[in-house]
Every structure is written in structure tokens, then in C-alpha cells.
Amino acid sequence: MATGHRILDGTAAAAAFPLGGIGTGNVSIGARGELRDWELCNAPDKGARLPFTGFAIRTARAGAEPVTRILESRLPAPHDGDQGYDAGRLAGLPRLRGSRMQGQYPLLRVDFDDDDLGVEVSLTAFTPLVPLDADASGMPCAVLRYTVTNPSDTPVDVTVVGSLANPVGVVGRNVFHFPEYTGQPGNTWRDDGRLRGILFGTDLGADHLRFGSVALTTTDTDTTAKPQWLSGFWQDGVQVFWDDLRDDGRLDPETEFSLDPPPHPDWFTRLRVGSLGIPAQLAGHATRDFEFLLTWHFPNRPRAWQGNIRLDDTRAGEVVRNHYATRFTDAWHVAERLADDLPILEAGTRAFHAALFHSTLPPEVVDAAAANLTVLRSTTCFRLEGGVFAAWEGSFEHSGSCEGTCTHVWNYAQTAAFLFPELERSARRTEFLHETRDDGRMNFRANSVFGNEPWDFHAAADGQLGAVIRLYREWRFSGDDDFLKEVFPGARRALDFAFGAWDSDGDGVLDSKQHNTYDIEFFGPNSLSNSLFAAALHAAARMAQHLGDTDTATRFRDAAHRCAERMDALLFNGEYYEQRIDDVDEHRYQYGRGCLSDQVFGQQLAHVVGLGHVLPAEHARSAIAAVHRYNFRSDLTKHYSVQRTYALDDEAGLLLCSWPHGGRPRIPFVYSDEVWTGIEYQVASHLIYEGLVEDGLSVVRAVRDRHDGRRRNPWNEVECGNHYARSLASWAPLLALSGVDYDAPAATLTIRPRLDTPTLRSIFTTGTGWGEVHLTPAGARMVLHGGSLDLTRLVIEHATLGRLQATGVSLEAGGALDLPAHPIPPEEQ
Amino acid sequence: MATGHRILDGTAAAAAFPLGGIGTGNVSIGARGELRDWELCNAPDKGARLPFTGFAIRTARAGAEPVTRILESRLPAPHDGDQGYDAGRLAGLPRLRGSRMQGQYPLLRVDFDDDDLGVEVSLTAFTPLVPLDADASGMPCAVLRYTVTNPSDTPVDVTVVGSLANPVGVVGRNVFHFPEYTGQPGNTWRDDGRLRGILFGTDLGADHLRFGSVALTTTDTDTTAKPQWLSGFWQDGVQVFWDDLRDDGRLDPETEFSLDPPPHPDWFTRLRVGSLGIPAQLAGHATRDFEFLLTWHFPNRPRAWQGNIRLDDTRAGEVVRNHYATRFTDAWHVAERLADDLPILEAGTRAFHAALFHSTLPPEVVDAAAANLTVLRSTTCFRLEGGVFAAWEGSFEHSGSCEGTCTHVWNYAQTAAFLFPELERSARRTEFLHETRDDGRMNFRANSVFGNEPWDFHAAADGQLGAVIRLYREWRFSGDDDFLKEVFPGARRALDFAFGAWDSDGDGVLDSKQHNTYDIEFFGPNSLSNSLFAAALHAAARMAQHLGDTDTATRFRDAAHRCAERMDALLFNGEYYEQRIDDVDEHRYQYGRGCLSDQVFGQQLAHVVGLGHVLPAEHARSAIAAVHRYNFRSDLTKHYSVQRTYALDDEAGLLLCSWPHGGRPRIPFVYSDEVWTGIEYQVASHLIYEGLVEDGLSVVRAVRDRHDGRRRNPWNEVECGNHYARSLASWAPLLALSGVDYDAPAATLTIRPRLDTPTLRSIFTTGTGWGEVHLTPAGARMVLHGGSLDLTRLVIEHATLGRLQATGVSLEAGGALDLPAHPIPPEEQ
């Protein structure tokens, strides 16, 4: 089954669909429909559970025994906790027989199956996601909508109730798996006329790192609630809650704090659980939504990375606010805005979902692009007050992985550039305004976002050169000349740095010690660095030319040609590009005669940003074909790798390197036998750009088949950490296939699909608007779903339609443009 | 398939067969044949892995490509670590196609299947276990014996190699999942002529809590080794190791410490990995063992519990030595002793295994008894210098669970009493010599074992009374009058305490606030406390009588009868015993009219210790039948429990309580809806004692079916912690079925099987010897496997054989006694 259409039953324990906006943290929904992985408070926390937290349903029909169930399907084995399931798991309460999860990011649907409930129930869950609108897509919230259908003729009373343990101030778990708190959490019932529900707060000060609030609310008018369960040394609260719910489907607020007589000692539980229910009677054959809004607000981060690379963290004792915290005062405020804007936010979200999942692009490509959007909305990424975008490479289980929006990892990422371009522009500002030294050396991990001292380490050739290409991408997609003027001087310094630092003999080919994304240094000429160098030189030449600096433009353009020509002569072996090094074992961690998957990475980036071929086209095509030929394995059962393992046994995957003609170093570079999804997407898209479409798709399919909900989480591609940034390369295959290319300075949109199907439906984005293109034999139709589009020229080139063109195109959201097919000349009929 | 004969494939991820002796900690073997859960250093540490650690095999046959494999079957999904599998997992190296694990504690066998290896391989693993010999069963060691068969005509070169990351001084894991150390571990190659291998040590001082050593050795004469892999910032060591092994099946010691140039910074890796291989050529159709001895020695514990109940820990800064550390100087010394004694230790272990698993008792009963022996040899139990036995209730993932050899939990345990009785005698000494106050109040958690201040908490009625019964058990099984004289005064005080503390109206029935094993207090008359009271009074009366204190004996005996009679009158409802309490909700956590599974626990203990019926026999039988009728559920899918969960969904289990006739309190006792294996075994054995054999077996089967290797670990029954002490009740069904009853003071052994099969083969133990009894229609045969047996009288009563008797029996280990069947009188033919 196509990956994005895969339906997972409750045993798919690896599946966790994250909810949450850009830079807001997450809570996820598992394959049983359960809430899991509570990561709201500015740090990863995979596996974090909240006791007693989740949804339940009670149904009652005249003359029959009421049925009360946890609104999840059953827990799959193993059942092997060190205390069985602790009471907080509610594992001893009956659950529904089965569930079917279908996640098409950003929309999740879970259908539940049961024999006793007497109604049909499904859950729709999402966090708004609107292309080009990072704020609308950056709300700390989730919509949880249970849809109940009464299939019978007789009315049924239904209560759906959500319970939440106050998560504000959780600092750990005790040996009984219950949360421990700093500060005293407190729950408050609130009804402001528009919304009603529970605000979960704390007595911590507003500047405390753990300060925050969460709200569970509904706009439904008839509610029933137990805002705070009984507290106690034992679990009186849950017993009374459950019996209260079973009894009549209505909850009574507790009149006592605890049945344990006061005074309560210091160590008395700080746990505060609250429940909000929506009761309703459904007439025969009626369907009704029971909609809950879960919103949160944890404003404060430490003003330092405090990561494992250990950049200077002088200001770690201070706090800095999240961007979202400058937009909302607390979780209730988020809920109000969400409730007010939900129709428009949901419409945008659904339009985006449809543009992806109703497209005619291969489903694995859509699935890859959509699923990895989660990186941007995971704990890997955040935005600080002022809108500054920053990110880890990925997320370890309980902390960020490798700090500083690392240039050589983010090099591969394309999703944000084409969906939320302001985020990438923010990163380029950081890189070229704050992290590029006077001599052009870039700190490839940014510490300036927190105002701490810059990181002093050698430069990363690939990351530094790639950043220049990406600056070109950002400017070309936005057409923002002020941005370019502001940032280009840093980029020029960074590029000039390469000549001095990495070209020891001045022949135009980089050949010195080159640190790179494999966390080691390559020595001697290699096509990873030099393909990036050539592409960066072309990109910089175009920017210099635009800014009127013709001398620089000429110098860079000449250098680009010289680099490409000489590199080709030095490194192309007739089939692919090698590393030129006399003794491959003189330095550890080289690849020599190996076939490196990243060998023409610069060419891939050049394709993505519209530079076309910067290397000899035939050689580029031959090289990327060789990468697929030698490095893509349909089965890894007999593969030897002593490195980290992301694909194994009967799985398919693309190795980072192989040595088809021998010459493997004694100790090759430290990740050479690994399989990284980010590089797989890089290579897949390049294969497509070079016309090797089926080869490219085979790589994308391999990745997504490995992320099937049982082997791995479909919404989490891992490298050094969960939600790893490199997996954002997954937007590139979509770009390559759809052939959408937007050039803002030229006000030109070109759509040149590399799929030769007679019809095509695909998303497109530009710096100002987004929509869908539909190609049929009858012609082309452009529909704009958001923003606006003002084009000097629109060009469509398609196998069936040939070339269609329009000039002076202007569309607003909701608008559409039709370009009828050319009449086919008689001689071609 | 009978539970003890179940064969698990490599996907049974819950299965972990623990190796290790009494009080030594463990390492376990998983269903793939992998080493897991490294818990050698005096604390639980479930899930603890050591990087690069495990076994590999290389086979080479003339003219064919050599094959090198990790000697485990493949890793089952999910594969979802936050860095994929880190390098230390070696997940990228090929493994064997399949494995079949059959664990019959204390023997484990894993058969491997593969298509490429060209040889057949199996693993036999065990730690010696010899009944009645706690020292022989308390060695910090494991035998790991790989048996390789060459099925072909041509010779094959085979190397089996074990690698181990030095585990001495591990204090945590870093974000990359590699161990962090205190002190600098170091590996040393040693060949003492008898043994050769690697000693893994540390530079920590001998009194440091983490000080210790581990040895991986063999008595094989041809070995190959790399005692210390290359160290490095990256993983050079494993690359070079693997290539070295693949190359020719011989390992070369490294000549350099690291390829990273010195000086090495402070944070440079402290990891030290070493490998020991055994190379051999197997002729066509030859079979050969490749045997490794894994031994360890972590002598020091903190002189305090440092548990979650938080007893006084004044001396926590001091260390106290493990008992085993007084017997061995280091891990190499352990290996020497193991190598020397292995033939006799293995013979004893195999005799014990055969006595259990070749018996004719129902396999679920054997499996339950054997599997839970692991508690005694898990991190739950330990022995301090001087041989003092102490234990947690269980083991949390990374710390002990509930300290102090808790009387009311250990109340249920029978295994040690009948297999390693010196351990239980040690516990009674602690209880009655050190933890019973002048007024008879017992601290039900012992802090004296560490010399810290006694715990000041109210007494536990059930634990205190049960301890008196268990003292009777220990004395009766050992016949040790000196022990009795030493300890009985404390027991008498403890029993007298009950009259004053818990019998408010002096009617002979306990009725005051009674703390108990449900961690709450029962109020008013109940049969849990009072059945224990009656049994304790009978037991104490017999001990007093033996010591010549006739007055006390008479007083206790009278009180026992009075208690039983009055309790019966007060509480028996015609079917079972209730709790008498006017308003069941006046106090929380009562059970009132409920049917409590433990309602006649005192009667069960009385049966186990040979007291017979202390309650009216018909009522006892009716009560335990009602427990089965009402509390045993063949399916829990619709069971409501908000408590901890040890059985769920379609599983069967025995609830702690139910209310078949209504009257459930608003908030019943906090574990009432739970399922505890310890109570299931208590009830199962009682059902068998009362003749309800099939009902009893149904309960045992339910427990073991839940521990099938997929749902739960067959060798770990969990309550408040892994390896929970109460599960040691699992020896009682075996006792009840086999009907073995040894009375040392009377020098009488009675065997009265409650299975009416015409043949029976069963283990028996006495305080001085152990063996097997075989009953066939032809007669009885007693074989003594260990120790000695001197009986005044041997009585066998059996459905087919009738009553056989012998007097003046004297047997030494290896001896046997035959009792031919009586000629059948003609009138019965």
C-alpha cells in the first residue's frame, strides 16, 4: 500500500504522529489513538507519559447497561514494566477492540472498532499548517475532534471526556513512574462564554524556566467536568473519577481536596489531574463532533544551547522567550485565538493536505515530503523572540542533538525554504551577519542566537559553501533585494575564504584539509567540496551581478568554470568522481576510489536553486547513476557495517559510500557504511533531476518502506537524533518531479514536470503564494490557495502538452488561471 | 505447549534468562542468544547494555568464502533508537537467520539457525545451582558453552570469539548511549596455565563502591585474543577488530593504544573492549564445545538500603562486603574455582534440572517453581559478609524496590525455605534477634543488617504473625534446636504482642487497626489476620512444647482454638470468610463482604509447614473454593481496574478480591482489583492442599501463560518491582502436589502426592539432602542426589500404591532405596 495511505492497527507501536506548531514542542498520538510523548516544555522528552491522561467514552442506551471505555485500542504486548503497568497507565480499564490509524501529515485520523460501544467513533487531530505562514503554522495547540455516529434507530447518550495530569513544572519521574514537580501545579475551571475548560497552571514565577500553562477546552456549550481529581497518598482520585463517569456520564466537581486528613506533609503528591467532558444525546443515525482544543504556553528557554558540543553558555542562567510567547499571553489565549480562527486555519490546513495527498505525484514522494515536515514542528526547531529561527541537528530522547543550526546538516534541508522561507532567511542572516568572521571563516554552529561567545572551531567546507548556495535560494525565492544587500557581503567573505583556506596550490580546486558533515576532514581534491564550490561560485556570481558588482561576478563565474573543469579532469574516473589522494591510509577517514553518495551534492543543490548544470552534464548524470548502481542495496542482510545502523537485514537503503572497484581504506570515514535518509533524498532528487526518475523513486520508496510504523515511526526520520534536520531534504524529490521553479527577481514561474504522465496534479509554492497546478491533455489550470501571485511569465513544459506560456499573470488566493492546450498541428496528429 | 518446554524464537523480546548466583547480580541472555541486562554491580539495571559486547563466529572451509557473523539471531523491529542503533549495538553486522531458546531454569539452551554458516551452533548457559548449597549456588559466574557441529564431510575452521566492554566503574550512559566511568578501567591478558583470558579491572581503590573485576576466560588451550581494542575518538577499534576477525579467524593484539595522536584529553574515551577467541578445526561430522567462563567480583555495597521507603541510612558512606567477596579474591579467582569444580557443579545442576523437568508433575507447576528461583539469584536478594541474607521486595529498573526483607511480602515465599534453608534461617535471626522490640513489636523492614537505626513504623499484623509460622518451618525443616532456642524468645514476644495490640476486646480474635501487605490497615475482624494468628499460635505452641515450656504451649494452643472458633463464627458467611465491619466506608481501603483471595492465607501456611487444618476443614475448603470461583477470571477484557495492572485483556488471572454479593466499598483497598502472582500461587497451592487440584492448576497455568516470553519475561514475575519476592510462593504448588513433608525433629519424611496418577516422579528436599521419588505400580524408589538422609520413618501414601513405610532409612548422595509395592490382597484384585 502506498506509504501515505497506509493504515496502521494498534500494534504499530513505533508510530507516533506529532501535534504541535513550528517551535512549540509536541504531543503525539500513537497507533492506538493514545496521547504519548509529552514534549511541550522546550525540550525533547520521547517516551514521556502523563499519568491518567487521555480520553474516555461512555455510551448509554435505554434499557441497556452503559458502557464506559478508555478511548484507545488495547495495549499490545509486551506488558513488562517493573511494576506491571503503574496505575497512571490505566491499563486495567477496558479499551476498544481495535483502531486504524491513517496519518497524512498534517492530518491524522484514527478509526476505532468495538463490539460493545454501540456507536462508531473516530478521531481527527491536527495542528494548523498553512504554507508560507509560519505564525499560523506555529501555534502551540492541537485540535482533537472525536466524531461519533449512532448507527441505530434509538437515541444514545454519549459522553466523551478528556483527562490531563497538570504537566507544568514536571522535572522528572519517581521510581513509581509518577511525575515530580518543581513548584505547585494548580488547575482552574474557566468559562469565558466562548470557551470552557480547565487551565492547568503553576505557582512558579513567570520567568522560571518551567513556568507555563496548558488548557483543555471546548467551544461546546454543554460540558461536565471534574477540574481537579481527589488528591491522595493512594489513587483515590482515579477510582472516584472512573466510578463517577460510569455512573451517569456526568462528572461532579470534587468538594474536598483529599480524603487524606490534613496536614499534608511536604512530600504529599503535587499531581493535579482534571477532566473535561462533553455529554450529548445522539438521535438515531445522528453524527456529532466532540471537539477539544489542547493548547499550551511554555514561554521560557535558557539563553544557551546547553548541548553536547558544548558551545559557550555564559548566559545559560538567563531566559529567552519563544517567538510564540510574544504572540500569546498564556494557553487560554492560544485557545481563544484557535477557536476564533479555526475555520480559516483548518481550511488552509486541509487545502495543503489535499494539494499533497490528492496529487498525482508518486505517493512515496508525497509521503516523504509531508512526513518530514514534522522536523520543523518538532523539538528540533524553535524560534526565539524577534522571530529568530534556530535548530538542533536533531533531538535526542531528552535533549537536543548537536546545536547551532549546523550549516553542513541544514545544507540538505529544502522544506522550509519552499514552505516557510522566512525561517531559512532568518538562518542565513544568522550565518552571514553574525557567524561569518572578518576573514570569512564561518562558525558552522551558531551561538549568536543566544548572544553567547562564538564557537571557535575549524570551518566546515561543505556547510560554508552550501550556505552561499542557500542564500541564493532564499533571495531567488523571495526577490528580497534588501535582504540580499544586507547579507551578501558576509557570503562573499565566506566564499573568498575558500580560496585561501582550502585551495593550497591555487589551481581553483579545493584540496586542503576540509572538515565536513561526516565529522571528519577530507584531504586532497574531492567532488563533495568542489561541486559545492562550483555551485556556490555560480550562485554568488549571480548575486554579485544583481547587486551591480560585475567584477566579483566575473571573478566568481570564471572560478566556477575553472573549478568544475579542473575537478572533472582530476577526479572523474569515466564513471564517477573519486577522491584524489596518493595514499588513502595516510590520513584516516578518507574514501579514495570509493563511490561517494554525496559526490555531486553541489550539483543537486544547483538543480534545486535553478542554476542548472555546474558540472559537465553527462558526467554528473553518470556519477549519480553510479551512486545508485553501487550504493543502493535492495537487501542489507549481508552488509557489514560496524557503524551506526539505520537500515538492516532485508531492508533496502543507500549506503553513504562503497568501493565497487576496491581501494577501501583500512579505516574509511566514520559513517561510510551507514544509510542516512537525508542523503537518500538528496540522491533521489538528483537522480530525478538527471532524468533517472525510476531510480530516484526506488530510493524514496526504500526510505518510506523502512518507516512503516512497525519498524520505525513514519513521522520521525532519525540520524544523530530524532526528527533529524537532514531528512528535510525530502522536499527535493517533490520539487524535482513537479519541476516547479520560481524565480522572484525575474517574476517567472516555470513548471517542467519530470513525470511524463498525461495528467498531473501537484502543489506549487512561490515566495508570495501557493496553490496547485493541474495538467491534463486539455490544458493547464493553476489554482492559488494562499497568498498572491504576480508573474511576468508563466511557463509550463510538459510531455503531453508541450510548452504553454502566459505573461502578466496575477492571481489572488482562491483565484485560478486556465491555459488551454495548444491545438495540435495536423502533421503531429 | 507446556510452559517449561516452550521454545521462543528471536522475536520474543520480553524473554531474558538471568545468569548469576545467589546474591551476585546477573547478566541475562535474550531470545536472540544475546547478552543483555548487565546487573553485576550490586544494583538492578534492567536494559543496561555494554557496547560491542557479545559473541561472534567465523567459519571457513577450503575453497569457500569465509563467513563471519554475530552469534545472535536478527534484531526484531522496532528499530527506533534516537540514533538508529548506536555503533555499540553492532546492528549493522550480519546475524544468524534464527534462534530457538528453551529455558528450563537453571539451564538455558539456544539453538541457532542459519543458511550461510555451514555449521550447526547452539549455546548452553547456566550458573551452577545445587540444592541445599547456597555457596555452590552463589557463585558470581556464568558458563557459556557454544557447541558447534560440522555436518559435512570436509573439515571446517571455526573461531568463536567473545567481546566484552570493561564494565567496571560504569556510572551512567552519555547521550550517545556509551558508558561513562568512574576510575579508569583496564584490561589485562592472563594465562595461568589452567585458564587463559582477559581480566577486566579498574584503577579504583579496593574500597570504592564501584571497585571490582570481571574475567572472560577459557580452559581451552588454543586461544586468540585482542585484549584491548584500539581506543579512539571514533570507532576505529571495532572496525579493526571486525576486519581482523574476518581476515583469518585469528586476532592480533593491538600494538598501539590509539590511532589518535597523544596527548589524549581528559574526556578521551575510557571504554576498554577486549576479545577472547577459541579457534579450532572441526573434522567432518565432528562436534566441539567452545566454552567460555564469565566471572565477576564486585565486593562492595553501601552499608545502607538507600531505598524508596527511606530507612535510616547513617552508615551509607561505609561499604560492606558481599558474602561471595569473602570467598573469592577477584573475578579470576572465581574462574579458577569454577573451572576446578565445574564437573561436580554441573552434575549437581543437571541433576536438579532433571529432577524438576523430567518429573511427572504438571509442567506448569515445575515451570513456576523453577522460573521463580531466579528471584533468589536476582538483584532482589543478597548476602552480606558473615552470610547474612537480606532482600528487597523486588527490583525496580535501576534500584531496589522496598527494602528490609519485608516480612509481609516474604511471608509468601517458600522456595528458599525448602532449597536453601540457611537463607531463611538467617532472615528469622534478623527478625527475632534484631528487629523484634522488647514489647514484641516487630519492625517489618529490617535495618539491622546494615547496623543502622531500626525503622519506627507500626507493626504489620500479617508479616509479624507469618514470621512466627515461618520460624516453625525453618526449625522443623532443619531440626536445629540451638537455632530454635536462640530465636524463639523473640518469636514469643512477637506473638504475645498481638494479643495486646490487635485484640481490642480480648475475645481472642484480632480486631484492631491491622497494617498488612496491601500497605493499608484493615479494621475489625478479618480472616487474613486471624487465620495467620491461629496458625502462628499453633506453630508457637509446638515450638514451646519442644523447648519444654508447657505453659506457653498450652496457652497458645488454647488461644489458637479460641481464635479459629470465634473467627469462624464471626466471619464465615456460609461460603467464605468476610471482614466484619459495620460501615465498610467508615475507613477507606477495607473489603467488607468481599471475597478476599488471601482470606485463609494462614491456613495455607499451616498446610505448608505441616500444621494441618487450623480452621474448620470444611470451611477452609469452601472458602478457598469460593476464592477460585469468584476471583479467578479466565478473561479480563471487561474487568475494571484503576490500579496497577499485571494481567489484562484476554489473559486469565486471580483478582485479589471481588464482591460477588455486592458491598464493594467506595474506595476498596488499593490493590484489590490487581492480580499478583504470589497470591495466585498461594491460592493455587491451597486449592491443591484442599484437594481442588484442577482448580489450583488452572491458576498456575494462567500465571505461566501470561509469562510467555512475548507478553512478559518467563523468568521475571513482577509486582512492585522485577523478580518480586512474593513470586517465590511458586514452590508451594510443587510441595502441595508432591505432598513431600519433612519433619526433622521427628526424623520423618512423608510423601503423600495429591496427584492420583499411577506413576509419579518428583523432587524432594529435606534439611540435609535432596533427591527424587519415583512411584510406579511396582513400588517406590527414593534416589538421593545430594547430602544425606537419616530417617526414623519414611511414609509414602499414594492412590495406587496405598501406604508404604520404611523405618531407619539412611542414604548418602548417590544412594537409593526401593520400597516394593505391597502385594495386593486377593479380595481387592
Side-chain angles (χ1 to χ4, degrees), chain A residues 95-279:
Chain A
R95 283 165 166 71
L96 305 178
R97 178 169 49 75
S99 59
R100 289 164 286 135
M101 172 196 228
Q102 184 171 27
Q104 296 182 333
Y105 197 83
L107 285 183
L108 173 71
R109 179 175 170 129
V110 182
D111 290 290
F112 298 96
D113 300 306
D114 197 57
D115 303 314
D116 304 323
L117 213 48
V119 298
E120 293 159 9
V121 193
S122 66
L123 165 65
T124 299
F126 64 96
T127 297
L129 190 153
V130 181
L132 307 180
D133 191 339
D135 276 355
S137 308
M139 293 181 72
C141 71
V143 177
L144 300 166
R145 182 183 298 145
Y146 291 93
T147 303
V148 180
T149 297
N150 179 4
S152 84
D153 295 328
T154 59
V156 60
D157 290 317
V158 175
T159 301
V160 177
V161 58
S163 301
L164 179 65
N166 190 316
V168 185
V170 173
V171 289
R173 262 79 185 169
N174 64 21
V175 292
F176 300 107
H177 307 294
F178 278 87
E180 294 186 312
Y181 293 88
T182 181
Q184 175 58 61
N187 303 355
T188 312
W189 172 256
R190 196 183 278 187
D191 182 341
D192 67 8
R194 171 105 176 87
L195 283 169
R196 51 212 57 76
I198 306 168
L199 182 62
F200 298 83
T202 177
D203 67 358
L204 293 171
D207 288 333
H208 193 285
L209 263 184
R210 300 279 175 180
F211 174 78
S213 57
V214 176
L216 181 65
T217 58
T218 184
T219 55
D220 230 307
T221 49
D222 187 13
T223 58
T224 184
K226 195 184 285 288
Q228 186 170 311
W229 293 10
L230 282 173
S231 284
F233 181 80
W234 296 112
Q235 306 305 335
D236 300 353
V238 62
Q239 184 73 64
V240 170
F241 160 75
W242 187 251
D243 290 341
D244 190 4
L245 177 63
R246 281 180 69 195
D247 180 40
D248 62 358
R250 295 260 167 186
L251 299 171
D252 297 315
E254 296 298 335
T255 55
E256 292 177 279
F257 164 67
S258 173
L259 301 180
D260 292 8
H264 301 114
D266 280 349
W267 48 260
F268 200 74
T269 178
R270 297 188 181 191
L271 184 70
R272 301 290 181 265
V273 185
S275 298
L276 168 66
I278 303 173

Side-chain angles (χ1 to χ4, degrees), chain B residues 119-143:
Chain B
V119 297
E120 292 158 9
V121 195
S122 66
L123 165 65
T124 298
F126 64 95
T127 297
L129 190 154
V130 182
L132 307 179
D133 190 340
D135 275 357
S137 307
M139 294 180 71
C141 71
V143 177

Side-chain angles (χ1 to χ4, degrees), chain A residues 39 97 144 267 333 463 517 540 561 567 739 751 772:
Chain A
E39 306 176 280
R97 178 169 49 75
L144 300 166
W267 48 260
H333 186 202
T517 199
H561 290 299
M567 180 194 96
I751 299 177
E772 286 177 275

Side-chain angles (χ1 to χ4, degrees), chain A residues 13-14 36 52 66-69 74-75 77-88 90-95 116 175-177 230-236 238-240 242-243 246 254 256 258-261 308 395-399 401-402 518-520 588-589 636-649 651 664-668 670-671 673 710-713 716 718-722, chain B residues 13-14 36 52 66-69 74-75 77-88 90-95 116 175-177 230-236 238-240 242-243 246 254 256 258-261 308 395-399 401-402 518-520 588-589 636-649 651 664-668 670-671 673 710-713 716 718-722:
Chain A
R36 54 176 284 184
F52 307 117
V67 177
T68 311
R69 295 286 183 267
R74 292 179 190 150
L75 292 152
H79 309 297
D80 55 357
D82 67 354
Q83 292 149 64
Y85 290 99
D86 61 79
L90 297 177
L93 289 175
R95 283 165 166 71
D116 304 323
V175 292
F176 300 107
H177 307 294
L230 282 173
S231 284
F233 181 80
W234 296 112
Q235 306 305 335
D236 300 353
V238 62
Q239 184 73 64
V240 170
W242 187 251
D243 290 341
R246 281 180 69 195
E254 296 298 335
E256 292 177 279
S258 173
L259 301 180
D260 292 8
N308 52 296
S395 295
F396 288 147
E397 285 170 7
H398 308 294
S399 59
S401 157
C402 303
Y518 313 124
D519 297 334
I520 46 78
R588 284 174 293 172
Y589 313 137
L636 291 161
T637 303
K638 294 181 186 177
H639 176 55
Y640 287 119
S641 168
V642 297
Q643 302 169 11
R644 300 173 305 180
T645 307
Y646 303 99
L648 70 164
D649 294 339
E651 295 177 329
R664 180 182 163 106
R666 179 179 182 227
I667 303 178
V670 294
Y671 307 131
D673 297 322
R710 299 181 178 281
R711 297 164 184 256
R712 297 174 190 80
N713 184 359
N716 177 15
V718 174
E719 195 187 306
C720 189
N722 294 300
Chain B
R36 55 177 283 185
F52 307 118
V67 177
T68 312
R69 295 286 182 267
R74 292 177 191 151
L75 292 153
H79 309 298
D80 55 357
D82 68 353
Q83 291 149 65
Y85 290 100
D86 62 80
L90 296 177
L93 289 176
R95 283 165 166 71
D116 304 323
V175 292
F176 300 106
H177 307 293
L230 282 173
S231 285
F233 181 80
W234 295 112
Q235 306 306 334
D236 300 351
V238 62
Q239 183 73 63
V240 169
W242 187 251
D243 290 340
R246 281 179 68 195
E254 297 297 336
E256 292 177 280
S258 173
L259 302 180
D260 291 9
N308 53 297
S395 295
F396 288 146
E397 286 170 6
H398 308 293
S399 59
S401 155
C402 303
Y518 314 123
D519 297 333
I520 46 76
R588 283 173 294 172
Y589 314 137
L636 291 161
T637 303
K638 295 181 185 175
H639 176 55
Y640 287 120
S641 168
V642 297
Q643 302 168 10
R644 300 171 306 179
T645 307
Y646 304 100
L648 70 164
D649 293 340
E651 297 178 328
R664 180 181 164 107
R666 180 180 182 226
I667 303 179
V670 293
Y671 307 131
D673 297 322
R710 299 181 178 281
R711 297 164 184 255
R712 296 175 190 80
N713 184 359
N716 177 14
V718 173
E719 195 187 307
C720 189
N722 294 302

Side-chain angles (χ1 to χ4, degrees), chain A residues 562-631:
Chain A
R562 185 163 169 241
C563 170
E565 281 163 27
R566 181 152 174 78
M567 180 194 96
D568 193 68
L570 276 173
L571 305 181
F572 194 70
N573 70 3
E575 187 183 23
Y576 62 82
Y577 292 95
E578 301 181 353
Q579 176 190 24
R580 174 122 174 203
I581 186 167
D582 291 338
D583 174 2
V584 77
D585 286 322
E586 181 189 348
H587 303 280
R588 284 174 293 172
Y589 313 137
Q590 308 303 301
Y591 67 100
R593 295 170 56 202
C595 181
L596 184 73
S597 280
D598 267 343
Q599 65 181 271
V600 281
F601 177 33
Q603 180 59 71
Q604 185 261 359
L605 283 182
H607 284 310
V608 169
V609 304
L611 288 171
H613 276 108
V614 299
L615 301 179
E618 281 309 304
H619 289 184
R621 188 174 191 280
S622 173
I624 202 69
V627 166
H628 186 266
R629 183 179 312 124
Y630 295 125
N631 295 359

